[in-house]
Amino acid sequence: MLFSSVLFVFYFLPAVLLVYLLAPRFLKNGCLLLASLAFYTWGEPLHWWVLVGSVALNYAAAFLVSPATKGCRRHWILGVTIFLNLAMLACFKYAGFIAANWNQAASLLGWKNVTLVQAHLPLGISFFTFQAISYVVDVYRGTTPAQRRLDHYALYACLFPHLLAGPIVRYVDLAGELSSRNINVTGFASGMRRFIIGLAKKVLVANQLALFVDEQFAISASALTPGVAWMSVIGYGLQIYCDFSAYSDMAIGLGRMFGFHFRENFDRPYCARSVRDFWRRWHISLSSWFRDYVYIPLGGSRHGVLREHVALFAVFFLCGLWHGAKWNFVLWGCWHGLHLFLERLGSGYIISRLWRPLQHAYTLVVVFAGWILFRSQNLPEAVSHIKAMAGFGGHTASGQKLWYYLTPLNIGTLIAGILIAASPWGRIREWLESSVSIKLIHSRTTREGCEVLGLIVLLILSASYLAAMTYNPFIYFRF
């Protein structure tokens, strides 16, 4: 059940909000936990037990690894707990990938092949597994005490706004709000505003970009012209940002409606001036998770340059693998790791001395080139796409022309995607408020009225598209 679906927007969410707001304070957590479990089992009726098993495992393990627990085997218990979490993730997500690569090696070495059917991937397993690991490790480090109430921990682990596709929320950030949180009109209105903006971004922009991009990536290599190849990559870069940031907007907005505050997950990543800067802005909850639970434990920058670079490549190898069980994703992670490595060696200093537009251009070229690996189904397809962008695709005279795809709707959607990625709204508002020629904007009542009217229009348009459209993809849903 996607947030951007008729079932969720018009049935599930209103019903849950009504029950939650009417329930007495001591029943609110219980109502929200039941709603979250219903939300998950609706979308995952066969493998709901994986989430329940994860909750039970990590709730119990936290007490055993806590500094308050007497004994000297806490680190062993922590290691076993992390292993079980990762083994569960590997079993469902990577078993088929491992078997396929084993069989390729076995065919060359004359070994016996392995027959293994890829298991069904439970929804959100990558997200709730990483959240569980962060909780147990934080308890082990003494960052937060183990949660004694099972219902409170279960609510943190199963809370539906961040359950399926993040952001990756750490227990320490929600610990206080699990037991006591302030629900007021201002916070609820802020959450509703954020949810509507995210919904519109997803339905009106990301979904339309998906149609545009899917059509172009379906073109055969022999018919792919340079213009179409470039346009498809640009479109996909805008699509994946609008798609995933929209889901984060909706998750953050939903959290605020129920009194929870999640950290921001995106900060205008396409405005970055280096690859390092990009990863401070893109999927912040994931990049900070790898920093705190992989990079720093591997030594980080504290044990010499060699150790630092090994840790860096380990992080981006695992980051790529986390996104999908394909070598495309691994190479995508290594591509970013390589440029971070080069920036640390000295290219970062050179880039920082360039004219600012050139810094942005460099970053966008690196990032969008990486999206080719991310979007392509396999490596040959990625190579063919790169060759077509360089003009060596060998397209025939009957190849697809760029103008064929530049319809008014597609052009408008691309412009909307660019404006969302650039996010110039703050500067526009500052200009309007400082403009002596637009006195009306200085009225707070007028501004708020225009904002409410705009949100109503966005909601109506989004609802109309949801009712009419059957194509409603979500890129990160599979992770």
Side-chain angles (χ1 to χ4, degrees), residues 296-315:
I296 292 177
L298 287 177
S301 59
R302 298 169 298 169
H303 300 286
V305 176
L306 179 61
R307 184 84 170 266
E308 179 184 3
H309 292 157
V310 170
L312 182 67
F313 271 105
V315 163

Side-chain angles (χ1 to χ4, degrees), residues 454-473:
L455 291 173
I456 292 173
V457 171
L458 286 178
L459 182 59
I460 292 174
L461 289 174
S462 300
S464 301
Y465 270 78
L466 282 177
M469 292 180 66
T470 57
Y471 185 64
N472 191 24

Side-chain angles (χ1 to χ4, degrees), residues 33-174:
L33 177 58
L34 290 176
S36 297
L37 292 173
F39 174 82
Y40 189 76
T41 54
W42 181 276
E44 191 57 77
L46 296 178
H47 289 79
W48 56 267
W49 56 269
V50 176
L51 175 61
V52 174
S54 174
V55 170
L57 166 66
N58 294 285
Y59 170 76
F63 291 103
L64 300 177
V65 303
S66 172
T69 302
K70 295 181 179 180
C72 58
R73 300 188 180 277
R74 291 193 306 121
H75 60 289
W76 288 104
I77 297 172
L78 176 66
V80 170
T81 303
I82 294 175
F83 172 79
L84 291 175
N85 277 288
L86 294 179
M88 178 177 63
L89 179 61
C91 178
F92 286 101
K93 189 169 183 177
Y94 302 108
F97 175 70
I98 294 171
N101 284 277
W102 170 271
N103 289 339
Q104 287 184 358
S107 63
L108 297 175
L109 300 173
W111 296 346
K112 185 177 180 180
N113 283 1
V114 175
T115 302
L116 184 65
V117 178
Q118 176 65 58
H120 168 75
L121 183 63
L123 295 178
I125 187 171
S126 297
F127 288 93
F128 66 70
T129 298
F130 272 30
Q131 288 174 169
I133 291 175
S134 71
Y135 167 67
V136 176
V137 172
D138 285 349
V139 171
Y140 173 82
R141 292 173 174 173
T143 306
T144 185
Q147 174 57 255
R148 295 190 173 277
R149 293 191 56 172
L150 176 59
D151 58 330
H152 281 194
Y153 174 71
L155 179 58
Y156 155 72
C158 302
L159 191 61
F160 73 86
H162 68 74
L163 177 58
L164 296 186
I168 299 174
V169 179
R170 303 189 193 186
Y171 172 80
V172 68
D173 293 330
L174 294 190

